[in-house]
Amino acid sequence: MFSHILILAALVNLAQFQYYDYDYQPGSLHGPSGPNCNQECDCPISFPSAMYCDSRKLKSVPIVPTGIKYLYLQQNMIEEIKAGVFDNVTDTLRWLILDKNQITNAKIEKGTIDKLTALEKLYFSNNNITEPVIPPSKALEEIQMMHNKLSKFPSGLLSDKENLTSINLQQNELTSESIGDAFKGLKKLLSLDVSHNKLKKLPIGLPSSLEILYADYNDIDKVGAGFLKKLPSLRYLRISHNKLQDSGIPSGAFNVTSLLELDLSFNKLKSIPEVNEQLEQLYLQANEINKFDLASFCKFTGPLNYSRLKHLRLDGNNVTHSSMPSESVNCLRQASDIMFE
C-alpha cells in the first residue's frame, strides 16, 4: 500500500510539472529548439520528445512530426483538429494537452484523436465539446474534460481502458441518466470527479478499486442503501452543496471502515449521520443539525473502542459546544479540532 501511494504521488507531481509549464520561453528554460519540430512550435533539445505549442494564438492543431511524445497545445484559439495532423505519431504520442481552446465535436475530423493508440493522458478541459472524445489507446491513464458542455457519457466508451486511473468531468451538464454505466468495468480507476453537474444520485456501476469520489455541487438528495459497501477501497467522499436530507440517508450508509474523509457540508441534514470509528475528517458545516448524538460516532466506548476522528466541522448549524455530552471526551479522544463557530 505504501509503495502504491508513492507511485501515485510521483505521477501527480510529474503531471503537474509538465502540464502547467505555461511560462515556457524558447531558449530560456529548455534551451534552443531542435530541428525536428513544427515551425509554429518549439521542441527543446534538452527535451526532444516534447513539442510546445501553447499560447501561440493557433486556430488549428499543427502537424506533429515523428518522435514527439508530449504535445502541449493549451491556451490557444484552436477550433478544429484536421485529419492527418497526428499521422506521424499515432502509435507514439503519450500526452495530448488541449485545455483552454474552442474545440467542438463537429470540428474534430476522423483520423485524428481516434487514431492515437498509445495515448496515456488526455487533457481536454475548457473547450466546447458536448460528447466525450476518447482515443482507442488501451494505455490511457488519465482523462480531464472539465469545463465543457458534456451532456452525456455513453456506456462502453471506456470498457477496454484497463489502465485508466483518473477521470475528471467537473463543470459539465451531466445527469445521472446520461452517465449510466459509463464507468463500469474499469479495474484500476482510483479517482472520479463529477462535481458541478446535474446529478440527482451518485454514479452507479463504479469499480471496487475507486479511492476518491467527488460529487459536490449537484442535485443529489439521497444515498442508496449499501452504496458504499460496493466500494471497499473508497477513502475520500465529497457530497457537499447538494440536497441531502436525513430521509435520504439510510441507517449506516456511511458506516464503512475504508472512509477517511467525508464531506456532507451545505446540505439539509438535521442530525449527524452514523459514521465508522475509522473516519478521520468529517465536514458537516452549513446544515440544519440541531442535536449532537454521540452514538453517531461511538456505539460504545472502551480502551480500544473510540472514534479516530481528528477534525469535525459543525459551524453553521443549530448546535454549540455545550451540546456535546460529557462522555464525548472518551469517544472523541483524538479530535484536535471540533468547530462550532
Side-chain angles (χ1 to χ4, degrees):
M1 177 60 72
F2 182 68
S3 60
H4 165 70
I5 295 173
L6 286 179
I7 292 171
L8 278 177
L11 287 173
V12 170
N13 289 335
L14 176 63
Q16 289 177 338
F17 175 77
Q18 298 289 357
Y19 172 45
Y20 290 109
D21 187 15
Y22 290 145
D23 297 324
Y24 167 71
Q25 294 295 329
S28 58
L29 182 60
H30 295 292
S33 183
N36 184 34
C37 194
N38 190 292
Q39 63 181 3
E40 296 179 288
C41 309
D42 291 291
C43 307
I45 295 176
S46 59
F47 192 18
S49 58
M51 187 163 83
Y52 290 86
C53 310
D54 53 301
S55 306
R56 315 274 168 134
K57 297 183 179 180
L58 301 179
K59 291 190 176 181
S60 62
V61 174
I63 295 176
V64 185
T66 303
I68 297 302
K69 297 180 179 179
Y70 308 96
L71 180 57
Y72 300 84
L73 288 159
Q74 69 272 14
Q75 291 185 315
N76 279 289
M77 297 183 291
I78 296 173
E79 297 178 351
E80 61 182 347
I81 305 177
K82 296 180 179 179
V85 294
F86 299 129
D87 281 0
N88 297 318
V89 293
T90 56
D91 59 351
T92 56
L93 190 65
R94 295 171 60 185
W95 291 17
L96 178 56
I97 317 299
L98 284 162
D99 292 348
K100 297 185 178 179
N101 281 285
Q102 302 168 22
I103 304 170
T104 60
N105 292 89
K107 292 296 184 70
I108 303 174
E109 295 186 14
K110 290 184 177 180
T112 56
I113 294 176
D114 58 308
K115 294 179 69 174
L116 300 176
T117 60
L119 205 65
E120 296 173 359
K121 297 184 185 296
L122 176 59
Y123 292 174
F124 218 112
S125 300
N126 295 91
N127 278 280
N128 296 311
I129 57 173
T130 56
E131 298 181 29
V133 180
I134 307 297
S137 173
K138 293 183 179 181
L140 195 64
E141 297 175 355
E142 183 177 0
I143 296 173
Q144 290 198 19
M145 294 183 180
M146 304 176 287
H147 293 271
N148 274 283
K149 298 178 181 178
L150 296 179
S151 58
K152 59 182 177 179
F153 204 114
S155 60
L157 288 182
L158 305 176
S159 59
D160 62 342
K161 311 305 180 189
E162 295 184 354
N163 293 296
L164 195 57
T165 60
S166 177
I167 302 174
N168 195 327
L169 301 173
Q170 65 167 289
Q171 292 281 3
N172 277 287
E173 300 173 11
L174 297 169
T175 64
S176 298
E177 294 75 21
S178 67
I179 57 176
D181 290 325
F183 316 110
K184 190 174 182 179
L186 297 175
K187 298 179 180 179
K188 295 183 180 179
L189 189 65
L190 299 176
S191 176
L192 174 63
D193 191 337
V194 288
S195 301
H196 291 272
N197 276 282
K198 299 178 179 180
L199 306 182
K200 292 187 177 180
K201 59 182 180 180
L202 292 170
I204 60 174
L206 298 178
S208 60
S209 59
L210 197 68
E211 295 184 5
I212 301 171
L213 176 57
Y214 293 162
D216 306 302
Y217 292 94
N218 277 285
D219 297 319
I220 298 169
D221 58 7
K222 61 183 178 180
V223 177
F227 177 83
L228 272 69
K229 300 290 185 182
K230 299 176 183 178
L231 301 173
S233 301
L234 195 66
R235 298 163 71 84
Y236 304 94
L237 176 60
R238 297 181 182 176
I239 324 176
S240 70
H241 295 271
N242 276 280
K243 298 179 179 179
L244 288 173
Q245 300 183 40
D246 292 0
S247 59
I249 302 178
S251 177
F254 299 119
N255 188 359
V256 292
T257 57
S258 63
L259 272 188
L260 296 179
E261 177 184 292
L262 177 60
D263 189 348
L264 301 173
S265 59
F266 294 89
N267 278 283
K268 298 179 180 181
L269 302 178
K270 294 184 182 296
S271 61
I272 300 172
E274 177 187 347
V275 296
N276 193 268
E277 291 180 349
Q278 301 302 316
L279 191 71
E280 296 181 0
Q281 319 279 345
L282 179 58
Y283 302 98
L284 291 166
Q285 67 268 27
N287 275 279
E288 301 171 7
I289 297 171
N290 52 34
K291 60 181 178 179
F292 192 100
D293 188 351
L294 200 58
S296 297
F297 308 99
C298 302
K299 292 301 182 183
F300 59 92
T301 304
L304 298 177
N305 299 101
Y306 58 90
S307 171
R308 274 64 176 179
L309 203 66
K310 297 178 180 178
H311 302 284
L312 172 61
R313 286 195 61 175
L314 285 165
D315 44 308
N317 284 285
N318 300 316
V319 289
T320 64
H321 192 275
S322 61
S323 305
M324 294 177 63
S326 57
E327 56 268 32
S328 296
V329 65
N330 292 319
C331 169
L332 301 173
R333 66 185 71 171
Q334 290 193 341
S336 58
D337 180 23
I338 300 178
M339 187 179 298
F340 286 97
E341 297 179 358

